[in-house]
Amino acid sequence: WKVDLTGRYYPMVSATDASVEFGFGACYAHLPEGLVRRLARVAEKQGFYATLDGFPLDLVGSRLGTAHNLGLSHDDFVDIFSIRRKYGAHINVLEGDAFLMWLRWVLRSRNRHCTKLVVLVDSAVWAGAAAKGRSSTQLNRLLRKASALEMAGDLQVNIVIVPSESNPSDAASRGCRRVPERKIKG
């Protein structure tokens, strides 16, 4: 396989999440390519995490690491899916399944092929296993599927940790899907 490391960043930041109460959720927001590139630089770096506008400042001080504010709010994100889970599993496995669903959604558009993508996740276990490419748990099965999908679409995925309280896809993973406002002509 050959990988083009000079590929363009897709002007979008996505987020995935899973919950044991409901299931899976994902959302996205459009961002300029330069901001996506800057966010990708903090991906998978120890101690860095992203926050949205409105994240409580007292929680920033209580977390280890350096916060990187995206300058986005929850309202800037559009839900991709909110799907009820069909089976019970450990939360880390559910987080991996949500990530795979998001990858399949990404691959549905040829415009997103051969690009670099940024995704926000609140599971440090999934982010660490994906960055390393392997795990000693049942996540290996999901990691193999994710790598196959990434190779099939020639994608480079940058995973950024986001606190659960600031994850924009948290509502979708709990069954509360946001409906985008429709503009009425006239």
Side-chain angles (χ1 to χ4, degrees):
W1 290 91
K2 291 184 180 180
V3 176
D4 181 16
L5 296 177
T6 62
R8 69 181 180 91
Y9 283 91
Y10 195 77
M12 165 185 83
V13 62
S14 302
T16 66
D17 195 21
S19 72
V20 293
E21 293 89 22
F22 180 78
F24 314 102
C27 60
Y28 73 94
H30 291 288
L31 274 180
E33 188 176 339
L35 291 176
V36 175
R37 179 181 290 114
R38 196 166 16 155
L39 181 59
R41 287 186 186 146
V42 301
E44 300 161 8
K45 288 189 179 175
Q46 185 175 0
F48 282 87
Y49 61 95
T51 62
L52 299 180
D53 286 345
F55 186 69
L57 294 176
D58 58 334
L59 291 178
V60 171
S62 66
R63 289 185 64 94
L64 294 176
T66 306
H68 181 84
N69 191 305
L70 298 180
L72 295 171
S73 70
H74 286 281
D75 297 332
D76 295 326
F77 285 83
V78 177
D79 288 337
I80 300 168
F81 58 80
S82 177
I83 301 173
R84 183 177 297 278
R85 66 183 171 88
K86 296 180 176 145
Y87 57 88
H90 192 274
I91 186 62
N92 294 332
V93 173
L94 295 176
E95 292 278 355
D97 282 334
F99 183 81
L100 287 176
M101 289 178 194
W102 170 79
L103 271 177
R104 289 185 186 108
W105 174 82
V106 165
L107 292 173
R108 289 174 59 187
S109 172
R110 288 184 8 202
N111 291 338
R112 292 187 287 259
H113 289 211
C114 303
T115 59
K116 298 177 182 180
L117 300 163
V118 174
V119 62
L120 307 173
V121 298
D122 59 4
S123 172
V125 171
W126 175 255
K132 195 172 186 181
R134 61 187 169 86
S135 172
S136 61
T137 64
Q138 53 189 325
L139 294 179
N140 273 334
R141 174 182 54 87
L142 300 173
L143 290 169
R144 284 192 297 268
K145 288 180 182 180
S147 63
L149 291 171
E150 289 174 31
M151 284 193 294
D154 195 15
L155 301 174
Q156 294 179 42
V157 179
N158 297 286
I159 298 175
V160 178
I161 298 286
V162 63
S164 296
E165 303 86 11
S166 192
N167 191 341
S169 62
D170 187 59
S173 71
R174 298 181 190 285
C176 302
R177 189 165 184 164
R178 294 175 292 222
V179 179
E181 295 180 17
R182 296 181 185 237
K183 296 181 180 176
I184 300 173
K185 295 181 181 178

